[in-house]
Amino acid sequence: MNAGSKTRVAVNGYGVIGKRVADAVARQDDMEVAGVSDISVDWRPRMATQKGFHLYGATGEHAQAMGDAGLDVAGTLDDLLGVADLVVDCTPKRIAAVNVEIYRQRGIKFIVQGGEKHEVTGHSFVAEASYASALNRKSTRVVSCNTTSIVRTLTALKHAGLLRRARGTLLRRATDPWESHLGGIMNTLVPEPEIPSHQGPDAQSVDPDLDVITMAVKVPETLAHLHYWSVQLTRAANKEEVLDAFAASSRIALIRMDAGLTALNAVKELMADLGRAHDNLYEVALWSDMLKVEGDELFYAYMVDNQAIVIPETIDAIRALTGMSRDAGESIAKTNAALGIGSLADVLGRR
Ligand SMILES: NC(=O)c1ccc[n+]([C@@H]2O[C@H](COP(=O)([O-])OP(=O)(O)OC[C@H]3O[C@@H](n4cnc5c(N)ncnc54)[C@H](O)[C@@H]3O)[C@@H](O)[C@H]2O)c1
């Protein structure tokens, strides 16, 4: 690492997740963007250079094509890895699994995203659950958006001693908004072919003790995912205790129907009004007034902004792998402050 100065972070793959990761890194006072690498030559890498990030081509051919397209190219991924302390791979599913061989050969620490399998790094990361076991490791995988939300919420219940088992139904957005001209579904619902869907077992890759089963259906919209959960508690509890458990996590925002946040688009509009980058909802947005406790049974629903929820986790994963913060709470607080996480509580006033 660059002794005594900021951690230099390379971002490989400047798409939906990569561009958000780069923006978030740039907002931290203890890290900086060493550069971003990609293969495309259209408007997207142009935004990287406009933001002041150094742009690299994934290979010599890609760098050449970028130069030919009039882009200001600093070199290849190989060059970028030479000026970085760590690389966050945000390339599409399964490409990172190939790239990690390059990172291993170069001896550079790396983070992959949720499109890759747990086995690619042997460690799966959610800040509130597995920060300590990621400390000073060579690599980790920030789990998918849905899995991140599951681990955050169930960890909060577990920390309060309330979690026995959890069963969830996930309504999954069909595609990302900016790609909705390319694919997605319309006028139908597509059930995942198997129960359990993969998110429950994936949550167990972070915390093997979780008793969790998920079912999922793809729905024809692009804004966010919506989860419905039924949880058996360890004992009869009241609503306030459960809300206290969720409120103890800074990455769960308690929102209210009676505040007008009655649908996914309304919550996204609030993120835009807050002036958040890309209208990002980094938190799990959980409806406190809809939540119901019946004896030892708990029912609730929440929204997951799939494009945003893994961004703070990625920042914390950088601090864990590099050992910049030895304490999860310290890193989470730094990330939250830099990204404006916590601002919802100020707006809504009460839970
Ligand atoms: N989109 C989401 O909502 C979401 C949420 C959580 C996790 N993830 C995960 O994040 C990862 C990235 O997903 P995304 O949605 O940002 O994908 P994306 O398609 O939006 O972006 C990928 C970027 O990588 C570039 N790329 C492709 N091949 C490359 C290569 N060989 N070298 C360098 N760059 C290359 C593409 O040009 C593109 O800019 C995946 O593992 C995905 O599963 C995505």
Side-chain angles (χ1 to χ4, degrees):
M1 204 176 112
N2 213 8
S5 56
K6 297 180 176 184
T7 295
R8 301 165 304 174
V9 180
V11 178
N12 191 19
Y14 191 70
V16 167
I17 299 299
K19 66 183 174 184
R20 286 170 174 78
V21 167
D23 285 349
V25 167
R27 283 173 175 260
Q28 312 303 312
D29 64 11
D30 54 356
M31 52 185 89
E32 64 191 10
V33 180
V36 305
S37 161
D38 207 286
I39 59 170
S40 80
V41 294
D42 59 17
W43 61 273
R44 294 168 292 165
R46 257 170 240 283
M47 284 307 301
T49 52
Q50 191 165 321
K51 288 188 175 197
F53 302 140
H54 297 298
L55 176 66
Y56 295 80
T59 63
E61 291 80 59
H62 293 116
Q64 175 76 44
M66 285 173 169
D68 292 347
L71 286 156
D72 187 6
V73 197
T76 63
L77 172 65
D78 200 45
D79 300 320
L80 173 58
L81 298 180
V83 295
D85 300 306
L86 176 147
V87 55
V88 183
D89 194 307
C90 303
T91 58
K93 211 174 186 168
R94 296 194 192 92
I95 291 180
V98 178
N99 288 339
V100 299
E101 292 314 317
I102 301 171
Y103 309 146
R104 286 203 170 100
Q105 279 165 17
R106 292 292 300 256
I108 188 168
K109 295 196 175 199
F110 60 90
I111 293 167
V112 299
Q113 296 292 331
E116 307 307 322
K117 294 193 184 324
H118 172 81
E119 292 69 34
V120 171
T121 66
H123 187 272
S124 291
F125 187 89
V126 173
E128 288 166 330
S130 61
Y131 190 97
S133 56
L135 263 181
N136 298 316
R137 278 183 61 91
K138 290 195 166 57
S139 63
T140 188
R141 173 185 73 125
V142 170
V143 295
S144 76
C145 43
N146 283 310
T147 305
T148 299
S149 74
I150 294 168
V151 176
R152 278 188 194 169
T153 47
L154 298 186
T155 299
L157 293 173
K158 184 178 166 178
H159 283 167
L162 287 170
L163 180 66
R164 187 178 301 283
R165 62 174 156 262
R167 307 292 182 244
T169 301
L170 286 53
L171 287 79
R172 302 181 56 201
R173 66 91 179 89
T175 188
D176 287 337
W178 98 270
E179 290 177 317
S180 53
H181 60 302
L182 301 175
I185 57 170
M186 199 187 286
N187 197 29
T188 188
L189 298 175
V190 185
E192 289 215 359
E194 285 178 19
I195 297 174
S197 57
H198 72 273
Q199 295 86 2
D202 200 35
Q204 290 164 332
S205 74
V206 182
D207 182 350
D209 294 338
L210 294 177
D211 181 344
V212 53
I213 294 177
T214 50
M215 300 172 279
V217 54
K218 200 187 280 185
V219 298
E221 58 88 21
T222 63
L223 289 174
H225 305 305
L226 179 63
H227 286 206
Y228 275 81
W229 285 88
S230 165
V231 170
Q232 187 176 9
L233 302 170
T234 49
R235 58 177 170 78
N238 62 49
K239 182 168 177 170
E240 283 309 304
E241 283 178 89
V242 173
L243 289 179
D244 284 345
F246 285 135
S249 163
S250 61
R251 300 259 166 97
I252 299 171
L254 297 176
I255 60 169
R256 293 197 319 277
M257 288 279 171
D258 73 8
L261 296 171
T262 52
L264 307 188
N265 56 305
V267 180
K268 278 299 270 185
E269 187 70 6
L270 174 56
M271 296 307 110
D273 288 354
L274 285 169
R276 290 197 180 181
H278 303 283
D279 306 347
N280 285 331
L281 167 66
Y282 301 110
E283 303 92 332
V284 173
L286 190 152
W287 279 280
S288 59
D289 47 356
M290 189 208 288
L291 180 145
K292 188 91 183 159
V293 183
E294 294 271 356
D296 66 353
E297 286 187 286
L298 164 65
F299 306 92
Y300 56 91
Y302 61 71
M303 167 178 171
V304 181
D305 184 345
N306 50 288
Q307 302 188 117
I309 187 173
V310 299
I311 307 306
E313 306 301 319
T314 303
I315 299 299
D316 293 326
I318 294 168
R319 289 206 188 88
L321 293 192
T322 55
M324 291 155 73
S325 290
R326 296 205 56 77
D327 178 56
E330 180 186 284
S331 176
I332 289 168
K334 266 185 95 64
T335 307
N336 288 356
L339 298 184
I341 295 173
S343 48
L344 248 70
D346 299 339
V347 174
L348 295 176
R350 64 183 175 85
R351 68 190 193 194

